[in-house]
């Protein structure tokens, strides 16, 4: 996501949307941390699409909701203009048309 944010900033396009296809679970080696800088996603709309539910999420859906809420907090703190989640990827074309302006 950090590299995608840098790429979008470098492009200088009028509309910046980052689509994330992931389970949104960080699997970093022990002792490694990644922090998004404030402003890293300035004017970027971040949309997590069809986020895969993990085994723990099935047992307790609170895990899934907390993971998404945590990412929402992180990307908005990094300056994202928006955080959205889409369970149905068929909704993407309408969303992308909406934000294109």
């Amino acid at each position: 996501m950090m590299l995608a944010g840098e790429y979008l900033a470098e492009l200088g396009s009028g509309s910046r949307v980052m689509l994330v296809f992931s389970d949104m679970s960080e699997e970093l080696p022990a002792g490694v941390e990644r922090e998004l800088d404030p402003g890293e996603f300035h004017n970027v709309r971040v949309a997590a699409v069809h986020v895969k539910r993990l085994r723990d999420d099935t047992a307790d859906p609170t895990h899934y909701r907390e993971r998404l809420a945590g990412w929402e907090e992180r990307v908005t703190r990094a300056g994202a203009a928006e955080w959205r989640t889409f369970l149905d990827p068929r909704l993407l074309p309408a969303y992308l048309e909406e934000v294109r302006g």
Side-chain angles (χ1 to χ4, degrees):
M1 289 177 68
M2 294 168 139
L3 294 174
E6 289 175 14
Y7 179 74
L8 288 171
E10 187 175 299
L11 282 177
S13 63
S15 115
R16 300 176 189 174
V17 179
M18 181 185 307
L19 301 177
V20 181
F21 297 85
S22 171
D23 60 13
M24 304 307 293
S25 177
E26 280 189 302
E27 297 165 352
L28 299 172
V32 174
E33 291 185 28
R34 296 263 165 78
E35 287 299 320
L36 300 170
D37 292 332
E40 188 154 356
F41 294 152
H42 179 69
N43 282 340
V44 175
R45 296 170 185 264
V46 181
V49 183
H50 194 61
V51 176
K52 180 181 175 188
R53 286 174 168 73
L54 304 174
R55 184 173 301 157
D56 289 346
D57 300 337
T58 304
D60 182 356
T62 305
H63 294 284
Y64 177 78
R65 292 183 188 121
E66 288 174 348
R67 187 166 65 254
L68 292 180
W71 275 104
E72 179 176 15
E73 180 183 336
R74 288 178 74 181
V75 299
T76 55
R77 194 174 49 223
E82 178 181 41
W83 163 263
R84 295 274 305 262
T85 58
F86 290 94
L87 296 177
D88 185 351
R90 294 176 294 182
L91 299 174
L92 281 176
Y95 171 70
L96 293 172
E97 187 64 33
E98 173 189 322
V99 300
R100 180 178 276 168

